[in-house]
Structure formats: structure tokens, C-alpha cells
Amino acid sequence: MKRVFSGIKPTGHLTLGNYLGAMRRWAAVDQHQADALFCVVDLHALTVDHDPARVRRLSRQTATLLLAAGLDPDLCTVFVQSHVDEHTRLSYVLECVATDGEMRRMIQYKEKAAREQARGGSVRLSLLTYPALMAADILAYGSEEVPVGDDQTQHVELTRDLAVRFNQRYGQTFVVPRATHPGVAARVMNLQEPTSKMGKSDDVGPGVVYLLDEPDVVRKKVMRAVTDSGREVVYDREERPGLANLLEILAACTGGEPEELSRAYTSYGDLKKDTAEAVVEVLRPLRERHRELCADPSYVDGVLRAGAERARGMARPVVDAAYRAIGLLPPVVEPALNAAR
């Protein structure tokens, strides 16, 4: 089976965009068709100012929601990034292969650095170098496919470049991965700013539907979604981004096609009402399962412990090989231990 890796940052409460754009596909498709690893990438959450207690809390909530969304530890590996040392071991090696220019060309770094500079501040060095850590996340497992949203494609391309460069300079070590993209609703937009992504980190307002929002809260947010001028319900992402976002959300929840669904509506109100109910129903089983898992914390602990052990077993041989290839002296092993091995 092909190997698939994907991760999610615990920088905020997970949203409808996270679920429709990634998590649902992971549960419905990837874990059944691949040797799949799904990781809470908590080290990436340290690249910006953060509250340590909140990162820990969100890391656990994220892991619990992944399981609630349908990830089955008997079918896939679910773990926390910081529980597997091979990620940081390999990250430094890849920093030694990457160039300063490559890192500074990353769009997310440029955007966040520009925002901080405008405020008179500066960003952490880890924000510049974290694409090397992301590359390590992927390459340590011999991943062949990386399901990502459009905003992460650049990072996967960098990962490919680093893998090829390392292999050419130091010998064949890494599998060169490729990015894969889900179809409709791959990028759910903010309900109040439909030209911006529905992000878990940057917005706490009415434009973001969180997976643990109560049904009435979900309905209120969708009913208050920004639409566009005009009265006709048409699907046009460029000219009518508000309507397009609602139609894509409805399509993702019901299995329809946005353009076809648009023909069934003559008013914005009816579209919003049906979209709100569709979102509530899609999230209902996830919320119920999350409640059950929260009542049994030892189960989640066991899944994460077993997942880290399994991930460590996959990653260590790859990282050890990379250390040897780049010229690092292997550790000296006691003769008795060496004989036992």
C-alpha cells in the first residue's frame, strides 16, 4: 500500500473547513486505501506566540476530534509530533540541505513577517525554518502522498526539492512525495469574508463554524453569512464568492454539485437555511463521538501512545540512514547490546 502522511496544527479550535477539506477524506478514503499516518503537529504551533497550556489543551482536543471524525487506530497511525524525536532529528539535517532563499520565498513566512514588521515587531526564527520541519514530518516516513490544501502545496514542493537534492548529493535515502488535493470544498471560506479561508487561528468571529459549535450557533452563523449583490442564486466563485461558498459547503455536505444545486434555489434565505441544516447534520455524529471519547480519556491516551510507538518504528530507520548518508558518526554501542541486536 502507498504511504500517506498528513498533519494538523493545534493552533486553534478545528473548523468546518478542516473537516470538509481534510479530515472527512482522511477517514473515508485515505485510511482505507493507504498506510496512513495522521499527526497533531504540535511543534509547528510553537512558531508563533502562544500559551503553553492552550497548546497542550488544543493538542489533545485535536487528537480527540481526529478520532471522532472516524480515524480508526486499527487502520491508521494517529500520534502527536513531539512524541516522536525523529521529526526534530531529521529537521536539522534538512536545514543543512535547504537554502536561506528557499525558506524566505515561502508565502506564509513572507505574509506573516510582513504583518509583524508593519506592527514594529519581528517573527521567530522557527517560522522561517519550519518548512524544513514539515519536510522532515513527511520524509521520515517514506510518504508517497501528502493530502494538503492549496495553501500548503508550496511546502510540499519544497519537500520534494529537498528530497531530490539530498538523494543526489548523499545517495538514495528518501522517497520523493507528491501533494494530493481533495475535490469540492477543499478550501471552505470565511462566512463573513468569503474571499478568505475559514482559518482556525486567525478569527474568533461569526465567520467561522467550529466543529464543537452547538447546532443553534451553527445555524446562526450560516444564516448570517455574507452574500452578494443581486437576487439570482448562481454559482460563480469569481463574481459571487459569498454564494459560491455556501453552495460549495452545501455540496460537500450533501454530495451534490454546486452549480446544479444553485438551480434549485430562488432565494438566498432558502439556500442558507438548507446549508445550515446540512452542516448541523454532518457534524452531529462527530460531536456525539467526541463527547464519548472525552468521557474515556484513557482510550485516547492509549491510541496516542501506540501511535507514537508505531510511528517511531517507521521513522527511525529512515532518519538513521539519513544521518549516515550525510556524514554523521554513528553512536558507539556497547558490545553486549550490539551482539543482542
Side-chain angles (χ1 to χ4, degrees):
M1 296 177 73
K2 64 188 176 186
R3 183 161 290 172
V4 171
F5 177 94
S6 200
I8 192 163
K9 281 192 293 187
T11 50
H13 298 289
L14 297 186
T15 72
L16 179 67
N18 296 127
Y19 181 67
L20 295 181
M23 294 163 62
R24 186 171 64 170
R25 170 181 162 145
W26 296 349
V29 178
D30 292 327
Q31 69 172 343
H32 298 283
Q33 297 184 357
D35 181 7
L37 300 100
F38 301 105
C39 181
V40 180
V41 287
D42 55 343
L43 293 173
H44 292 299
L46 309 186
T47 60
V48 295
D49 289 339
H50 63 277
D51 173 11
R54 186 170 187 265
V55 170
R56 281 192 294 271
R57 185 171 64 251
L58 287 174
S59 295
R60 186 174 186 83
Q61 183 185 89
T62 299
T64 306
L65 281 168
L66 288 176
L67 298 174
L71 293 187
D72 183 344
D74 290 332
L75 298 175
C76 65
T77 304
V78 180
F79 66 106
V80 176
Q81 180 189 34
S82 63
H83 295 177
V84 180
D85 293 343
E86 277 64 32
H87 291 257
T88 50
R89 287 181 63 207
L90 184 55
S91 178
Y92 180 72
V93 167
L94 294 177
E95 285 181 22
C96 296
V97 177
T99 67
D100 176 75
E102 285 175 317
M103 295 298 186
R104 294 187 187 278
R105 282 196 294 272
M106 295 294 105
I107 294 171
Q108 289 193 14
Y109 171 76
K110 290 166 68 173
E111 290 178 347
K112 291 182 180 179
R115 284 200 298 266
E116 285 302 316
Q117 188 175 17
R119 297 172 187 157
S122 60
V123 295
R124 300 183 180 191
L125 177 62
S126 56
L127 185 66
L128 176 65
T129 60
Y130 102 88
L133 176 57
M134 181 175 174
D137 298 338
I138 297 166
L139 297 180
Y141 299 100
S143 309
E144 297 164 86
E145 294 186 2
V146 188
V148 292
D150 294 338
D151 58 332
Q152 291 294 333
T153 299
Q154 187 185 34
H155 289 144
V156 179
E157 289 304 313
L158 174 65
T159 300
R160 290 173 54 84
D161 291 342
L162 295 180
V164 169
R165 189 177 307 152
F166 189 100
N167 291 345
Q168 290 174 343
R169 290 181 181 176
Y170 306 113
Q172 190 66 34
T173 305
F174 298 121
V175 173
V176 180
R178 65 184 181 91
T180 59
H181 305 279
V184 69
R187 198 173 190 192
V188 177
M189 312 306 280
N190 190 297
L191 295 174
Q192 293 297 314
E193 299 177 20
T195 57
S196 300
K197 180 183 173 183
M198 185 182 283
K200 61 181 181 296
S201 307
D202 305 325
D203 192 314
V204 294
V208 178
V209 174
Y210 297 104
L211 298 186
L212 297 180
D213 278 346
E214 294 292 334
D216 285 347
V217 173
V218 172
R219 293 185 182 99
K220 185 177 296 185
K221 289 180 177 181
V222 176
M223 292 304 294
R224 292 180 177 177
V226 167
T227 49
D228 313 283
S229 58
R231 296 182 178 180
E232 187 181 3
V233 178
V234 295
Y235 178 65
D236 187 332
R237 177 169 275 284
E238 296 299 322
E239 299 296 328
R240 313 285 286 279
L243 280 175
N245 190 35
L246 289 171
L247 287 164
E248 289 186 355
I249 292 172
L250 179 61
C253 291
T254 61
E257 292 293 333
E259 189 167 355
E260 184 177 333
L261 287 169
S262 69
R263 302 188 191 106
Y265 293 95
T266 57
S267 73
Y268 295 173
D270 288 341
L271 171 60
K272 287 182 175 182
K273 182 178 178 181
D274 285 355
T275 302
E277 292 306 319
V279 172
V280 167
E281 288 307 310
V282 159
L283 296 184
R284 190 184 304 282
L286 180 146
R287 287 169 42 80
E288 292 173 354
R289 179 59 177 153
H290 178 265
R291 206 159 33 238
E292 294 171 359
L293 291 169
C294 287
D296 187 10
S298 63
Y299 173 78
V300 177
D301 290 341
V303 169
L304 296 181
R305 182 168 55 249
E309 291 175 0
R310 193 183 309 158
R312 198 175 299 117
M314 295 180 195
R316 184 163 294 170
V318 177
V319 179
D320 286 349
Y323 269 46
R324 289 192 300 270
I326 205 169
L328 297 177
L329 185 68
V332 178
V333 181
E334 290 288 343
L337 291 176
N338 200 29
R341 291 179 181 178

